[in-house]
Amino acid sequence: MSRLIYAWVLTTLLGIPAAHAQITPELKIEITRGQEAAISIGVVPFGWQGPGAAPEDIAEVVSSDLLRSGRFEPLARDALPALPTSDSQVDFPRWKRRTRYLVVGNVRPGGSVGNYQVQFRLFDVVIPDKQRGLGGTQLVGLNFQRSANQLRGTAHDIADQIYEAIIGEPGAFNSNIAYITETRDKNNNKRYALKIADSDGYNAFPALESTQPIMSPTWSPDGARIAYVSFEGRRARIYIQELATGKRTEVAAYRGINGAPAFSPDGTRIAMTLSKDGNTEVYVKHLRTNQLRRLTNNPAIDTEPTWSPDGRAIAFTSNRGGSPQIYMVSANGGPAKRLTFDGRYNAGPSFSPDGRNIAVVHQTEDGGYRIGVFDLERQRVKVLTKTRRDDSPSFAPNGAMVLYSTTDFDGPTLTAVTVVGGFSQSFALRSGIVRDPAWGPTR
Amino acid sequence: MRTFKATAVLAAAALLLSACEGTQQTKEETAAAVEVRSAQPSATSSQANAGAQAQAIPGSGASAPSALDDPNSLLSQRVIYFEYDSAEVRDEDLSIVEAHARYLLNTPNAGILLEGHADERGAREYNVALGERRALSVTQIMQLLGVPSSQIRTVSYGEERPAVDGSNEVSWQQNRRVELVY
């Protein structure tokens, strides 16, 4: 695997209105290319039919998304043979020599004040459309009417459309991630924040700020709420917070551990770790009735529940066999079955959206802690990463990538790695620590 | 044990101190400022007292001399260290735990907070469980020596509040710990 390219710093993003969103001002992005052959695609800068500078470089956002998926290799801008902005301007034979797919589009002010019309088309430039007399075939063509602060989101929508049209599976670009930051204030005291950002790390927004640690953010299935552990008041408590209103509800404040929250796939229950009965066990709380049910019963540590996507089972970490390993239990309770036998350390499980895999923190022979994927059918852990201090894996909503936190020689980063092919992209803050990410559902 | 006598002699002073510190800890807890934000800044709500506040250092507010402040007393040792993935108090540290247990027995209105911690390696919530195991090991020894559970509170921060930054065995060893906070 060759470590390549792009340690670029995006500092000024011209003309993006502040609106509600704070742009992550200094985002360091690093890409590690995998071994899979990537699909060539040309994403031409979108035309802008309005006064002044274009409000957003949509093609750049689309290109970055496609590159980050590990499945595409967008042509560099200076390698584009022409800059068409509509289908009538496309000289298909010329593109055919350079790439298979082509994206053209344009933006203009439209509708009410502050709104924009965004149009894009995706072509297969190799196969001609004889009916329309075109040298290429249009695979998707869409119009969006959006406000200025939705333009990046629109670009992610477009990337998702392109991904799905070509790969045949849904994209996951138009989604949010949550993560924790730790920084120092001017008095050198630690400040913790729970941040919500776009899947590419932009538009980071602090949902909670505290002088005490915050950990284990997790999304409700509809993406409207987030549960987390906060140590405010020097005790651990679990809260659920509505993102739109900031309204939050305390769901667990028992004696001892209140940790590892995980929403059930239908959003009605929350699994969590409590030690109120004297030992670290997994419980399920019904959010409407507040009924609490204990799921595990073992003198060892039982923690880190993750729901199977059908809601029937919960996988969790237990050291009942002498070292931490992944076990599974019915969501209604009963005996637990050990799943992992590879190595002496498997913890922090997170189910894949299709229910076939569980991402884990896996200790390899050399003592490193890496992200692995446990295949439930093959009963094996496949290691995905090369970094040595990996933590907190969570799957993209389409299952194609795993987001995790790690610390390498450049400091703490959030990294997304493809489940197949080993392509990865990291983001880091210029100063301060990022960690504990959770990838939310598609918007 | 020799320190026991010293502890008993200074118990009266400690009584005074623990009264001060009781209020101090409460202050510290309310000083944990939290700001909750909604996606729309206009709807920003602020729960608890917003804005950063200086953290009180435990013990720093006391003016009366105390066994807790005596650098020659075992009570001045407030950290117990642990082996990797282990919650067992090492033999050489038992005397520290015992000294604190005696202090608590002799100072019934003193309370102790046992903060369990883990090193940074491995899964975060598993490390919280590990930190709690460590705090509970210390609790158990204190309870065996007769300290009522009402005087002991535990919290586990897992790997969230390392004592030292650094990713090597020396740092990890210093981070696998239980802090005894009065």
Side-chain angles (χ1 to χ4, degrees), chain A residues 4-35:
Chain A
L4 285 181
I5 25 179
Y6 319 105
W8 76 84
V9 177
L10 299 152
T11 43
T12 48
L13 295 155
L14 283 176
I16 296 173
H20 78 282
Q22 291 171 263
I23 305 298
T24 307
E26 290 176 318
L27 192 68
K28 202 179 79 180
I29 301 173
E30 188 170 302
I31 286 168
T32 306
R33 186 145 298 181
Q35 290 154 326

Side-chain angles (χ1 to χ4, degrees), chain B residues 82-89 130 132-135 137-138:
Chain B
F82 292 82
E83 300 294 339
Y84 171 75
D85 201 18
S86 163
E88 203 172 320
V89 176
L130 208 51
E132 190 186 66
R133 289 265 149 151
R134 289 171 178 155
S137 286
V138 177

Side-chain angles (χ1 to χ4, degrees), chain A residues 411-425:
Chain A
T413 64
L414 303 185
T415 299
V417 61
T418 56
V419 175
V420 178
F423 187 99
S424 74
Q425 176 170 324

